[in-house]
Amino acid sequence: QYSTSYNVRVRSVCDGDYSGYVEYTFTTMCLVVRSFPYTEDFGSGTFPPLCWTQERTAAGSGMGVSYANGAWTSASAAVGGNSTTKAMLADTKAGSVHNLVTTGMIFAENLNGYSISLDVYRSSVSVSSYDEGVEVWVNSSPDIVNGNPQMLGYVSKNYQHSSATVSEEAAPGWYTYNFIARNRTGLNYVILVGKSNNAGGVYVDNLVVDKTV
């Protein structure tokens, strides 16, 4: 079983003599994805999903819970007609940043790159929600500082707000966005950088990583 901790008790036996037991604890390695498509619908009951990690990289300020270890969680309540379990960046301090990082993936040589798609619920029309949303990154390191990080796009919670990579929408609702990571081989991680502005939280679902044909 990947990413599982085990406790083992051992003792020596020699010609009828026995030592006392010594206990050891070890954890098996995480799964490294090598076949695609890779999908995550956040419905396994474990959060973060197996071999995923999260961390808060900026504390923010003002009102709201601080979530020192990261504000990403699972949410099962219906949102915009979606009643499945999904990932949610909880409502937290303005200016705080929280990374949700996938397990490692091996990208083979592919001229058309790899696609990363996800569903995002876009709802608010408040000005403060312009700066609340999720950035999609890919990197050889499970962060956006080391390695060779590449930002693929930003989706604002505000459906009337556009970014350099994502347009505004005509109405609130769930929308699927697709980003392409090119010229990347070897070990990579997809990183969802949740940016809060204390404007109610952000919902994400159905992450899919696949080779682009």
Side-chain angles (χ1 to χ4, degrees):
Q1 180 69 35
Y2 293 107
S3 188
T4 302
S5 295
Y6 295 91
N7 295 321
V8 178
R9 298 175 70 220
V10 297
R11 67 176 180 175
S12 63
V13 179
C14 182
D15 197 23
D17 290 330
Y18 302 86
S19 69
Y21 280 101
V22 178
E23 186 169 295
Y24 296 92
T25 300
F26 67 94
T27 301
T28 54
M29 295 178 63
C30 274
L31 167 71
V32 176
V33 175
R34 297 177 183 272
S35 61
F36 297 90
Y38 169 81
T39 63
E40 179 55 64
D41 64 5
F42 306 104
S44 68
T46 299
F47 196 91
L50 187 66
C51 292
W52 287 44
T53 59
Q54 71 164 312
E55 66 169 337
R56 186 186 72 185
T57 59
S61 61
M63 299 176 58
V65 180
S66 61
Y67 297 103
N69 296 317
W72 286 99
T73 186
S74 61
S76 57
V79 176
N82 179 353
S83 58
T84 66
T85 301
K86 55 199 74 69
M88 176 184 73
L89 177 70
D91 192 18
T92 182
K93 292 182 178 295
S96 65
V97 180
H98 307 263
N99 293 359
L100 182 61
V101 186
T102 69
T103 187
M105 305 179 190
I106 301 297
F107 288 1
E109 186 71 36
N110 185 35
L111 293 178
N112 294 318
Y114 282 75
S115 66
I116 295 109
S117 69
L118 71 166
D119 299 340
V120 180
Y121 184 61
R122 303 186 68 181
S123 60
S124 179
V125 294
S126 68
V127 173
S128 64
S129 67
Y130 279 18
D131 296 322
E132 183 158 288
V134 58
E135 294 176 348
V136 180
W137 292 69
V138 63
N139 195 11
S140 57
S141 178
D143 54 55
I144 62 171
V145 177
N146 302 296
N148 55 339
Q150 179 184 7
M151 180 180 169
L152 303 179
Y154 171 69
V155 184
S156 170
K157 175 184 177 176
N158 189 314
Y159 73 91
Q160 295 180 327
H161 180 62
S162 62
S163 68
T165 52
V166 172
S167 63
E168 64 185 67
E169 303 292 353
W174 284 95
Y175 295 92
T176 301
Y177 298 99
N178 188 66
F179 306 95
I180 306 298
R182 302 185 188 278
N183 302 315
R184 305 195 68 92
T185 57
L187 181 64
N188 282 277
Y189 301 84
V190 176
I191 305 163
L192 304 182
V193 179
K195 307 185 78 172
S196 176
N197 204 27
N198 195 223
V202 181
Y203 295 92
V204 174
D205 206 357
N206 299 320
L207 176 79
V208 180
V209 182
D210 200 3
K211 287 184 176 181
T212 304
V213 295

